[in-house]
Amino acid sequence: MPELPEVEHTRRNLERWTRGARIVAVATTDARIVRPLRPRAFVSRLEGRTVRAVDRRGKWLRLALDGAAGLFVHLGMTGWFERADVGGPRNPLLSARGDRASPMRFERVRFELERRARPSVVVYVDPRRWGRMVLSDADIAPWTTLGPDPLSDGIDVDALSAALARRAKRSIKEVLMDQRVLAGIGNIQATEALWKARVDPRSRAGSLDRARVVELARAVRWTIRRTLADLAKGDRGADDPFVAYGRDGEPCPRCGARFTKVALGGRTTTFCPRCQARTA
């Protein structure tokens, strides 16, 4: 599932591609992606609007539109955006209004844009169709109920310590993935951060003293920056840029012990049994 760095990378791309552009045409027939609106209503409410800004909070994106409306996007497990061929220099809208440009494989929504008289096309692709697009005149609940965003808000160590204390009996791995604690942290980023901070993912959240919470906050920032830097190398980044995630049975680059895995909260977690200390 795309986590904070991948969604931030998407936000940066969308900002370059869409900010200041008018949505000339929209094409979709996928009622699952654009629910609760029907595709026809979704299209009619978007066409003619201008994208004012592209924001992100946790794993959610928000395209701020003129008229106070916003298009909220969650990429689900397998969603992403790509730029596409406009369909010919003299007929930039044929893919939405007629049919000349062939849709991409797994294409769900096509946005045909115009900025400074130059047409462009941005396509949402989602093989499993677990993503969401919600068009709303006000911020939606999944956006407003998220915890602090480590990238845009920073991490307040005292606030994080208090959040861990309120969830003292849960494993630190599960708490890190709680979107009310830190928005955007998922299985991958939590696994990497706990390795960097030398914390066993099975440790109880309430067992970490302030010094360890400080190290954990630094580790979260480290893994986000590292993943963003990798994604900046190309649209999809390296195939496997992670230190601990998915490395079960491989040697830990820090101490040489073999990574092992355990299931926590229904998710597989890889960790080093030697240098990640269990606090309780």
Side-chain angles (χ1 to χ4, degrees):
M1 175 183 290
E3 299 182 20
L4 187 156
E6 291 83 5
V7 182
E8 173 61 18
H9 181 71
T10 299
R11 186 201 69 77
R12 295 175 185 181
N13 281 339
L14 285 175
E15 186 168 61
R16 288 190 291 108
W17 299 341
T18 70
R19 186 175 181 179
R22 186 170 66 92
I23 302 172
V24 180
V26 181
T28 185
T29 58
D30 200 310
R32 179 172 173 176
I33 298 292
V34 303
R35 66 187 190 278
L37 292 178
R38 293 184 181 276
R40 185 174 296 179
F42 179 82
V43 168
S44 66
R45 288 183 60 181
L46 274 176
E47 289 184 339
R49 313 299 288 270
T50 297
V51 180
R52 298 301 187 191
V54 183
D55 307 311
R56 181 197 54 78
R57 190 159 190 82
K59 302 175 187 179
W60 279 88
L61 294 162
R62 179 182 63 187
L63 279 70
L65 309 172
D66 59 342
L71 177 61
F72 296 84
V73 180
H74 195 289
L75 301 175
M77 288 285 289
T78 59
W80 74 89
F81 285 89
E82 287 192 19
R83 297 193 79 173
D85 185 356
V86 297
R90 295 187 179 181
N91 298 287
L93 304 180
L94 284 178
S95 60
R97 295 181 175 174
D99 186 21
R100 181 177 140 185
S102 298
M104 290 184 178
R105 189 182 184 196
F106 304 124
E107 176 183 315
R108 306 303 178 191
V109 186
R110 174 173 291 241
F111 301 89
E112 309 212 1
L113 311 167
E114 188 174 79
R115 180 170 51 190
R116 301 185 186 95
R118 297 181 64 180
S120 63
V121 177
V122 174
V123 173
Y124 176 68
V125 181
D126 192 342
R128 296 192 180 183
R129 301 171 63 224
W130 288 346
R132 291 286 310 281
M133 290 190 183
V134 181
L135 187 58
S136 175
D137 293 330
D139 287 345
I140 60 176
W143 178 273
T144 59
T145 57
L146 292 170
D149 185 286
L151 191 62
S152 58
D153 301 326
I155 302 175
D156 184 308
V157 172
D158 292 330
L160 179 56
S161 295
L164 299 184
R166 289 193 296 271
R167 300 161 176 82
K169 295 183 179 181
R170 296 172 63 191
S171 74
I172 184 60
K173 170 70 182 304
E174 292 175 278
V175 173
L176 276 184
M177 293 173 59
D178 187 331
Q179 299 302 292
R180 297 166 297 178
V181 175
L182 290 176
I185 302 301
N187 192 29
I188 295 174
Q189 297 300 310
T191 296
E192 294 287 290
L194 289 167
W195 176 85
K196 180 67 172 177
R198 298 174 180 260
V199 175
D200 188 310
R202 300 168 295 179
S203 300
R204 298 298 181 185
S207 69
L208 274 66
D209 59 23
R210 194 178 191 282
R212 280 194 172 272
V213 176
V214 169
E215 288 302 314
L216 184 58
R218 289 174 180 165
V220 169
R221 290 190 288 266
W222 168 82
T223 185
I224 290 172
R225 288 194 300 265
R226 189 172 181 274
T227 309
L228 279 170
D230 174 72
L231 290 168
K233 299 173 185 176
D235 284 343
R236 307 305 290 271
D239 290 337
D240 191 358
F242 304 111
V243 178
Y245 176 78
R247 301 291 190 185
D248 177 41
E250 297 181 25
C252 170
R254 187 165 51 205
C255 73
R258 297 286 178 181
F259 281 117
T260 189
K261 63 182 179 181
V262 65
L264 291 170
R267 306 298 296 277
T268 298
T269 298
T270 309
F271 69 102
C272 176
R274 179 184 294 168
C275 65
Q276 288 180 250
R278 188 168 185 173
T279 55

